[in-house]
Amino acid sequence: MDISRRSALVLAASVGLVAVPARSAQAAYYNEYTTIAGIPTAHECTAAQAFGAGTTYLYSVKIGLDDTRALIYRTNRNTGSTVIMTNGTDDSPYNSWLGHANDLAVLSLDGDYHLFVVTMSAEGAQLVKLHYSGTTYYKVGSFNVHLDGEAKAVSGISRLAQTGSTLTFFFKSGRAIYRGRIGLHDDSGTIDLTEAFDLKVAGALVDGEPVPDLEDFTNQGFLYHPATKDLFYPLTKKNRSIVLVYRNITEQTSGTVTSDPDLSFRITSSAYPELFEIESLGIADGTLYFNTNRAKASGDGNHDGVHSFNGFVTD
């Protein structure tokens, strides 16, 4: 959840939504999604946050104890098999250095696999770099993220470009998108952000109609898909989650960008009337995946999950 602190609330079973084929001229409407696996509360970590998709596995973070503890779950996207990964740095099932863990990027760097997680902290590290092998991960470094010389508590991260020597990210704070880069094998340092563009929300069409209170929705993580130059931006309010899609986004994009009027995703959940939050998203083999915080009633919990949008396809 795109806030610095979040009280514990969690999850439950299926509900309705809206998805569309990513490359159709006329958007289709879908009202179903598939739950791949649950990511249950464990070790006092109650709230789903960061999410990303790898080639075989989906990675989710859950936090607890006022952002001082975090678990990382690995889900096989084909079988749904889910395990809590081991923190090899401290030989523990959880860690204490991911903060609010609002979003993450999954990357392969010269054959080694890494997670880059934004902490949403204005103090200390704003980005933590992990290396993982199998179901064990290790903290290998951290970065300070600065804007105009001051620490910037970014809430979203997604890979923009990767070369033989440089890794460039899009970072998000609220509705503002920034660019930042590091050396491909850097483990620490300072990332100086440059302003890229802003995401327009007011007046966005969802299933052909504007959502009157859309500007009151809460910001979450986001996803940039370099292969199609599409940016996916989830917004949530109680039991409603909406994903706006912005097209033709490149490193040169600037100003204010408007979402595609024919492409949006929405869930209005009757099964989880208290809470249905899409936290972040990932794409693998053309399928759009996401994770959720879900609750049927106030104080209800243990229903967080990992899911895919039915019918969505992309290049």
Side-chain angles (χ1 to χ4, degrees):
M1 192 173 184
D2 191 348
I3 52 175
S4 58
R5 288 292 181 268
R6 181 193 184 282
S7 57
L9 261 185
V10 233
L11 0 345
S14 264
V15 92
L17 86 50
V18 16
V20 281
R23 290 300 165 200
S24 61
Q26 180 78 28
Y29 183 93
Y30 296 87
N31 63 355
E32 295 181 347
Y33 66 89
T34 297
T35 295
I36 298 167
I39 44 173
T41 293
H43 302 285
E44 299 181 271
C45 293
T46 58
Q49 298 296 341
F51 177 80
T55 54
T56 303
Y57 297 99
L58 308 173
Y59 298 89
S60 308
V61 180
K62 292 190 69 168
I63 62 169
L65 298 180
D66 202 23
D67 294 0
T68 62
R69 181 176 291 186
L71 295 174
I72 302 178
Y73 292 76
R74 189 186 81 163
T75 299
N76 185 303
R77 62 187 182 89
N78 297 310
T79 68
S81 175
T82 299
V83 298
I84 295 174
M85 298 181 72
T86 298
N87 166 13
T89 301
D90 301 328
D91 193 26
S92 169
Y94 53 82
N95 67 75
S96 61
W97 14 262
L98 293 184
H100 195 70
N102 204 69
D103 204 3
L104 65 81
V106 184
L107 294 173
S108 173
L109 306 177
D110 291 339
D112 289 327
Y113 296 98
H114 295 80
L115 303 177
F116 289 82
V117 186
V118 293
T119 66
M120 274 197 71
S121 174
E123 299 178 354
Q126 285 77 52
L127 179 65
V128 175
K129 179 181 179 181
L130 309 176
H131 171 258
Y132 67 91
S133 178
T135 59
T136 301
Y137 63 89
Y138 304 86
K139 181 182 179 182
V140 295
S142 61
F143 298 83
N144 299 115
V145 178
H146 285 183
L147 179 65
D148 298 328
E150 301 291 333
K152 182 67 174 175
V154 290
S155 59
I157 183 173
S158 200
R159 180 175 66 90
L160 169 58
Q162 184 174 330
T163 69
S165 60
T166 304
L167 188 57
T168 305
F169 294 106
F170 274 142
F171 291 93
K172 185 174 76 68
S173 177
R175 296 169 187 175
I177 304 296
Y178 302 90
R179 292 179 294 266
R181 60 171 48 90
I182 60 175
L184 192 67
H185 299 293
D186 288 354
D187 292 333
S188 63
T190 297
I191 302 173
D192 292 312
L193 299 180
T194 58
E195 295 181 2
F197 52 90
D198 293 323
L199 302 170
K200 184 180 179 182
V201 170
L205 298 183
V206 179
D207 192 29
E209 298 290 338
V211 179
D213 58 343
L214 188 56
E215 290 196 85
D216 297 330
F217 279 50
T218 299
N219 296 296
Q220 302 290 358
F222 80 121
L223 169 68
Y224 177 66
H225 189 47
T228 59
K229 298 181 174 60
D230 292 334
L231 187 149
F232 301 83
Y233 175 33
L235 297 155
T236 66
K237 183 176 181 181
K238 200 173 172 64
N239 68 328
R240 291 181 289 164
S241 282
I242 288 171
V243 180
L244 300 180
V245 183
Y246 301 79
R247 287 183 160 174
N248 301 314
I249 302 297
T250 70
E251 190 167 358
Q252 288 72 44
T253 299
S254 61
T256 299
V257 298
T258 301
S259 59
D260 188 321
D262 293 323
L263 183 57
S264 61
F265 308 84
R266 174 167 57 194
I267 301 170
T268 299
S269 176
S270 58
Y272 301 96
E274 180 64 24
L275 190 70
F276 191 101
E277 291 182 334
I278 293 178
E279 291 293 328
S280 197
L281 311 105
I283 289 177
D285 287 342
T287 298
L288 183 62
Y289 298 93
F290 63 99
N291 69 332
T292 58
N293 273 310
R294 300 187 296 182
K296 292 184 175 181
S298 180
D300 178 39
N302 220 24
H303 304 301
D304 292 347
V306 176
H307 324 272
S308 62
F309 286 90
N310 292 359
F312 177 90
V313 291
T314 191
D315 300 336

